[in-house]
Amino acid sequence: YLRGQAVKWFDRYLMNIPERPIDLSVKEASEPSLAVFPEGPPADAENYRVHETFLPVRAFRSYTSLAAWQKRRAELLQLLRTKVFAAFPGVPAAQNIARKPRAQGQAFGEVSFESEPGVRVRCLLRKPAKPKGPAPALLYIASDGDDPASIDVTLRSVNQRDVAVRMVVYPRGVGELGWDHSTWRSMLRNAMHVGHTVDSLRLWDVLCALEALRAEEGVDPARIMVMGRGVEGALGIYAAVLDEGVNQVMVVNPPSSHVDGPLFLNVLKHTNLPEAAALLAPRRLNFYGRIPEAYERSRSIWALHGKAGHMFLAMNIHAVLEGRYDHHFASGQ
């Protein structure tokens, strides 16, 4: 019935022909006869990456003066806020905070809050057993599969020192068991209808978690470090770019391009990860274990500030968190 009505519509409004009998009989055609390339796509087909060729990716240009970079920085921050993250709902805040104290034998207590109405974000929290005034604080952005025990191992040196406040945020869809593939695909598609991606929604959760961390008793707001692994490390970079109250960032094996994540609408029209990381200068950006080659160009921006050493190869989490930057510490100790 629907096919017949569609043909009548085309006849009347596109073909301008009088109503006629319509043959709605169907003869099934074989799949090979319908294929454009029955033997498979050509060897040079680029359908899988054609979306990357629509617009040129903006190159990370060289800057010969701090004034030239600062002009570009102001321009880029404005583009990020108005063209990439324009759908952010106002000012980040942690609403309706709920707490579950750390039980005996557990590494962390729990805190949760709403980053948007109806969106509850889970966090783990641990504070020094014997606080000595305002303490440095770490916001660790969890990845899928990160459970409290594995995070406790990652932060072992920080926990042994026990002088810093530690908060672990699980952005929406991230957890010991994250979204299944069907849910993730649905969220990715539907987020674009409201100007978001899954990663920009998660970035918003991280920004709200920073507000929750600042509100915790015993936190020194001038000594907050954000840390993440892989794509979550890149989310940490952007969180600090958008929240200038963050003191420093530590990343572990971050991607070198937004092609590998995080995915943000429009972002490659304006910048890519190495330039976005340079927006942190002169604040500290610490790479744990290795600095991907693509980021070496970023160092020139720190050099313009006279702070080339603030792009730092770190071998120890707790030392950096506590403000010690040297190589007299063995990785993992």
Side-chain angles (χ1 to χ4, degrees):
Y1 173 79
L2 291 177
R3 188 158 62 91
Q5 294 303 309
V7 173
K8 288 181 180 180
W9 190 93
F10 284 118
D11 283 352
R12 179 178 179 183
Y13 293 105
L14 296 183
M15 306 299 292
N16 196 28
I17 61 177
E19 189 171 336
R20 62 186 173 91
I22 299 172
D23 182 7
L24 297 178
S25 61
V26 176
K27 181 181 179 181
E28 296 289 346
S30 65
E31 288 188 11
S33 71
L34 297 173
V36 177
F37 301 109
E39 304 302 322
D44 60 351
E46 296 203 4
N47 306 57
Y48 69 96
R49 62 174 298 273
V50 68
H51 58 285
E52 296 176 17
T53 67
F54 290 156
L55 291 171
V57 176
R58 183 180 173 112
F60 189 171
R61 300 174 182 172
S62 298
Y63 296 89
T64 57
S65 71
L66 183 57
W69 164 249
Q70 288 176 330
K71 180 180 178 181
R72 167 60 180 162
R73 184 180 188 276
E75 171 194 77
L76 182 51
L77 285 172
Q78 179 68 7
L79 287 169
L80 289 174
R81 292 188 174 106
T82 59
K83 302 298 184 183
V84 179
F85 304 121
F88 277 171
V91 178
Q95 303 288 340
N96 300 320
I97 296 176
R99 300 177 182 278
K100 182 179 178 182
R102 179 158 65 113
Q104 186 174 3
Q106 291 184 337
F108 298 94
E110 290 198 15
V111 174
S112 66
F113 61 86
E114 286 189 343
S115 60
E116 297 182 67
V119 178
R120 184 152 287 275
V121 177
R122 174 190 174 216
C123 297
L124 306 177
L125 181 66
R126 185 169 180 175
K127 293 184 177 182
K130 298 178 180 179
K132 299 178 181 179
L138 171 65
L139 180 66
Y140 181 88
I141 306 171
S143 304
D144 272 338
D146 273 343
D147 61 280
S150 67
I151 295 171
D152 189 42
V153 171
T154 299
L155 302 181
R156 178 179 296 167
S157 66
V158 181
N159 293 334
Q160 288 174 342
R161 296 273 303 163
D162 200 31
V163 298
V165 176
R166 290 132 283 174
M167 179 178 280
V168 179
V169 58
Y170 287 88
R172 68 190 80 187
V174 175
E176 291 95 324
L177 295 174
W179 284 334
D180 57 47
H181 288 297
S182 296
T183 301
W184 191 93
R185 184 172 62 249
S186 176
M187 289 294 294
L188 179 64
R189 290 174 174 174
N190 292 324
M192 288 186 283
H193 295 157
V194 292
H196 275 293
T197 65
V198 170
D199 286 327
S200 69
L201 291 169
R202 289 173 174 173
L203 175 58
W204 179 255
D205 294 342
V206 173
L207 290 168
C208 293
L210 280 167
E211 296 304 318
L213 180 57
R214 286 192 181 99
E216 287 293 329
E217 185 178 357
V219 168
D220 181 351
R223 291 190 290 164
I224 292 178
M225 182 171 86
V226 180
M227 179 179 174
R229 184 186 306 272
V231 170
E232 280 66 32
L235 290 181
I237 289 173
Y238 271 94
V241 166
L242 297 175
D243 184 338
E244 296 195 357
V246 173
N247 181 45
Q248 59 180 331
V249 176
M250 179 176 283
V251 291
V252 184
N253 293 327
S256 296
S257 170
H258 278 292
V259 172
D260 301 315
L263 305 180
F264 298 140
L265 296 180
N266 299 318
V267 71
L268 284 172
K269 291 168 62 176
H270 306 297
T271 192
N272 210 342
L273 277 169
E275 185 182 35
L279 293 172
L280 291 172
R283 288 176 288 165
R284 289 186 176 271
L285 174 59
N286 308 286
F287 292 82
Y288 187 88
R290 59 180 288 272
I291 301 178
E293 184 179 353
Y295 288 88
E296 285 297 340
R297 291 202 66 188
S298 310
R299 193 183 299 277
S300 65
I301 303 301
W302 270 272
L304 289 175
H305 286 274
K307 300 286 186 180
H310 281 200
M311 184 173 149
F312 185 69
L313 178 62
M315 299 300 291
N316 185 289
I317 299 173
H318 81 259
V320 171
L321 179 58
E322 295 174 32
R324 303 195 318 244
Y325 306 95
D326 57 61
H327 289 285
H328 299 301
F329 302 93
S331 177
Q333 293 186 356

